[in-house]
Amino acid sequence: MSDMNATVSETKTGFHVAGYEKIEYDFTFIDGVFNVENSNLADCYRRWGRVLAVTDQNIYNMYGKQMEKYFRHYGLELQIHKTKIGEKAKSIPTFLIGGGLVTDVAGFACAAYRRNTNFIRVPTTVIGLIDASVSIKVAVNYGNYKNRLGAYHAPIHTFLDFTFLRTLPTAQIRNGFAELIKISSCSHLNTFNLLDQYCEYLIDSAFGRSDGASREVRLAADAINREGIHEMLKLETPNLHEIGLDRVIAYGHTWSPLHELIPETPLRHGHAISIDMAYSATLANLRGILNDEEHRRLLNLFSRAGLSMDHHQFDEETLEKGTAAIMKTRDGKLRAAVPSPLGSCVFLNDVKKDEMDRALRRHKEIMRDYPRNGEGIEAFVDASDTGYTESNSNEAHAVELAAKKAGSLNAGIHGANGHAHANGVQKVDNLEGLNGADQGLTNGSKVFTNGAKA
């Protein structure tokens, strides 16, 4: 939500306008946002007496009845718009409940409708909870490029309910894990250490929210999520409108905006940025600004998480086209964020084509040491995150077929590269206590080997 203060004054040749916009919005950690005992969400709508909810079909199927009961309990008229959104149909289709795609697209619609429509976000995926709903950016894709049409439009409120992760497919947990690697490897070493220590347990237990998850993993997950979101906010808040183009959180987002949509069946966002991050780390290692030990530690974490580090269409042509495209949006500079060392970040601007290509060849050589030649597990979008409205019937049919194909691609994980209980999140003050000793847990790297569990 924003307030504008502006003045106008006459000059010798015309007029001068000066305006200052105050932007403020809140985040609330809450378990059970649709529990009738929690009035937080309903309180936001009392002055209007009605609610328009935009949600995806999957979320409605799981939580629609609970949502209807909740607003009925508080005497609020509810209208629900059910949509199906996938990356290749992430175009324009209030209260937004769903993953990052839903909050992005419907948020952009709110920015465009009457130029400024208030909205509230209730993200339901890991990416939505810790990344897409943290900034004020909303956007849709245009052509083969991600987020080319968009706006900066702050919500009134964002409710962070991590209990939604109980019903989230493991593939989507893994997908969001990449965003936490992104922010921690470049800005918050303590969080990276926790991800490294608890990697497999976090993914298998839906970040400590599944039945039977240990208290230790839950506490580690709460610490990771809270600190990850806080770090994102600290980095984003001074630069809400992205006037500054050297952005730490752009690690993994230099070549991935193009590459993510190149495959016939698109890569999941987390896998696309993981490929970008892994390659960028190899580039940094080749330059001598990320040492061998930290380079391998980072690659090993991607592998243990089952995230992609390479793809057969991530090639020299993609690097060249992706570089040209991103430099147009970064004022003529590459501004490629890379960890140096882990937990901090530098930006590369002077990378020539021959150096990029040499790093790519080296990266693909390294990938031979990893399961599936660095290919991720369930790397392609499928029916859990792809759907299309009837108005796009031709494209819908084509991409629904691609989504079905992705099911077989995702199932063939052994193929060659490219073919295949406090309320809310607890604040943990003493991270030193999370040492893996509770309930016999040990460092995941001692239990699993380079993602071989999958």
Side-chain angles (χ1 to χ4, degrees), residues 29 31 162 209 215 218-227 421-429:
F29 290 100
D31 278 359
F162 282 83
R209 295 292 178 163
R215 179 177 180 274
R218 167 66 184 273
L219 288 175
D222 284 357
I224 289 166
N225 292 327
R226 190 180 187 96
E227 290 304 320
H421 197 313
N423 191 20
V425 170
Q426 296 185 48
K427 181 176 181 180
V428 181
D429 295 319

Coordinates of all heavy atoms in Angstrom, one line a residue, residues 29 31 162 209 215 218-227 421-429:
F29 N 3.5 -14.2 9.9 CA 3.7 -15.6 10.0 C 2.5 -16.2 10.7 O 2.2 -15.7 11.8 CB 5.0 -16.0 10.7 CG 6.2 -15.7 10.0 CD1 7.0 -14.5 10.2 CD2 6.7 -16.5 9.0 CE1 8.1 -14.2 9.6 CE2 7.8 -16.2 8.3 CZ 8.6 -15.1 8.6
D31 N 0.1 -20.0 11.3 CA -0.3 -21.4 10.9 C -1.8 -21.5 10.9 O -2.5 -21.2 11.8 CB 0.3 -22.3 12.0 CG 1.7 -22.7 11.8 OD1 2.3 -22.2 10.8 OD2 2.3 -23.4 12.6
F162 N 3.2 -21.6 6.5 CA 4.0 -22.7 6.0 C 3.3 -24.1 6.1 O 3.8 -25.1 5.7 CB 5.3 -22.7 6.7 CG 6.3 -21.7 6.2 CD1 6.2 -20.3 6.6 CD2 7.2 -22.0 5.2 CE1 7.1 -19.4 6.1 CE2 8.1 -21.0 4.7 CZ 8.0 -19.7 5.1
R209 N 7.3 -29.7 8.0 CA 5.8 -29.5 8.2 C 5.1 -30.9 8.0 O 3.9 -30.9 8.3 CB 5.3 -28.5 7.3 CG 5.8 -27.1 7.5 CD 5.3 -26.6 8.9 NE 5.8 -25.2 9.2 CZ 5.3 -24.4 10.1 NH1 4.2 -24.8 10.8 NH2 5.8 -23.2 10.3
R215 N 11.4 -32.3 15.7 CA 11.5 -31.0 16.2 C 12.7 -30.2 15.7 O 12.7 -29.0 15.4 CB 11.4 -30.9 17.7 CG 11.4 -29.5 18.4 CD 11.3 -29.6 19.9 NE 11.3 -28.3 20.5 CZ 12.5 -27.6 20.8 NH1 13.6 -28.2 20.6 NH2 12.4 -26.4 21.3
R218 N 12.2 -29.1 12.2 CA 11.3 -28.0 12.1 C 11.9 -26.7 12.6 O 11.7 -25.7 12.0 CB 10.1 -28.4 13.0 CG 9.1 -27.2 13.4 CD 8.4 -26.7 12.2 NE 7.6 -25.5 12.6 CZ 6.3 -25.6 13.0 NH1 5.8 -26.8 13.2 NH2 5.7 -24.5 13.3
L219 N 12.7 -26.8 13.6 CA 13.4 -25.6 14.1 C 14.4 -25.1 13.1 O 14.5 -23.8 12.9 CB 14.1 -25.8 15.4 CG 13.2 -26.0 16.7 CD1 14.0 -26.4 17.9 CD2 12.4 -24.7 17.0
A220 N 15.1 -26.0 12.5 CA 16.1 -25.6 11.4 C 15.3 -24.9 10.3 O 15.8 -23.9 9.7 CB 16.9 -26.8 11.0
A221 N 14.2 -25.5 9.9 CA 13.4 -25.0 8.7 C 12.9 -23.6 9.1 O 12.9 -22.7 8.2 CB 12.3 -25.9 8.4
D222 N 12.4 -23.4 10.3 CA 11.9 -22.1 10.7 C 13.0 -21.1 10.7 O 12.8 -19.9 10.2 CB 11.3 -22.2 12.1 CG 9.9 -22.9 12.1 OD1 9.4 -23.2 11.0 OD2 9.3 -23.0 13.2
A223 N 14.2 -21.5 11.1 CA 15.3 -20.5 11.1 C 15.7 -20.2 9.7 O 15.9 -19.0 9.4 CB 16.5 -21.1 11.9
I224 N 15.7 -21.2 8.8 CA 16.1 -20.9 7.4 C 15.1 -20.0 6.7 O 15.5 -19.0 6.1 CB 16.2 -22.3 6.7 CG1 17.4 -23.1 7.1 CG2 16.2 -22.1 5.2 CD1 17.4 -24.5 6.7
N225 N 13.8 -20.3 6.9 CA 12.8 -19.5 6.2 C 12.7 -18.1 6.7 O 12.6 -17.2 6.0 CB 11.4 -20.2 6.4 CG 11.3 -21.6 5.7 OD1 11.9 -21.7 4.6 ND2 10.6 -22.5 6.2
R226 N 12.7 -18.0 8.1 CA 12.7 -16.6 8.6 C 13.9 -15.8 8.2 O 13.7 -14.6 7.8 CB 12.5 -16.7 10.1 CG 12.2 -15.3 10.8 CD 12.1 -15.4 12.3 NE 11.6 -14.1 12.8 CZ 10.3 -13.8 13.1 NH1 9.4 -14.7 12.9 NH2 10.0 -12.6 13.5
E227 N 15.1 -16.3 8.4 CA 16.3 -15.6 8.0 C 16.4 -15.3 6.5 O 16.8 -14.3 6.1 CB 17.5 -16.3 8.5 CG 17.6 -16.3 10.0 CD 17.6 -14.9 10.6 OE1 18.3 -14.0 10.0 OE2 17.0 -14.7 11.7
H421 N 5.3 -25.9 18.3 CA 4.3 -25.4 17.5 C 3.7 -24.1 17.9 O 2.6 -23.9 18.3 CB 3.3 -26.4 17.5 CG 2.4 -26.3 16.4 ND1 1.8 -25.1 16.1 CD2 2.0 -27.2 15.6 CE1 1.0 -25.3 15.1 NE2 1.0 -26.6 14.8
A422 N 4.6 -23.2 17.8 CA 4.1 -21.9 17.9 C 3.4 -21.5 16.7 O 3.5 -22.1 15.6 CB 5.3 -20.9 18.1
N423 N 2.5 -20.5 16.7 CA 1.8 -20.1 15.6 C 2.7 -19.5 14.6 O 3.3 -18.5 14.8 CB 0.7 -19.1 16.0 CG -0.3 -18.9 14.8 OD1 -0.4 -19.7 13.9 ND2 -1.0 -17.8 14.9
G424 N 2.8 -20.0 13.4 CA 3.7 -19.5 12.4 C 5.1 -20.0 12.5 O 5.4 -20.9 13.3
V425 N 6.0 -19.4 11.8 CA 7.4 -19.8 11.8 C 8.0 -19.2 13.1 O 7.9 -18.0 13.4 CB 8.1 -19.2 10.6 CG1 9.6 -19.4 10.7 CG2 7.6 -19.9 9.3
Q426 N 8.7 -20.1 13.8 CA 9.4 -19.7 15.0 C 10.7 -18.9 14.8 O 11.4 -19.2 13.8 CB 9.7 -20.9 15.9 CG 8.5 -21.7 16.3 CD 8.9 -22.8 17.3 OE1 9.6 -22.6 18.2 NE2 8.4 -24.0 17.0
K427 N 10.9 -17.9 15.6 CA 12.2 -17.3 15.5 C 13.2 -18.0 16.4 O 12.9 -18.3 17.6 CB 12.1 -15.8 16.1 CG 13.4 -15.0 16.0 CD 13.2 -13.6 16.5 CE 14.5 -12.8 16.4 NZ 14.4 -11.4 16.8
V428 N 14.3 -18.5 15.8 CA 15.3 -19.2 16.5 C 16.5 -18.4 16.8 O 17.2 -17.9 15.9 CB 15.7 -20.5 15.7 CG1 16.7 -21.3 16.4 CG2 14.5 -21.3 15.3
D429 N 16.7 -18.1 18.0 CA 17.8 -17.1 18.4 C 19.1 -17.8 18.4 O 20.2 -17.2 18.1 CB 17.5 -16.5 19.8 CG 16.3 -15.6 19.8 OD1 16.1 -14.9 18.8 OD2 15.5 -15.7 20.7

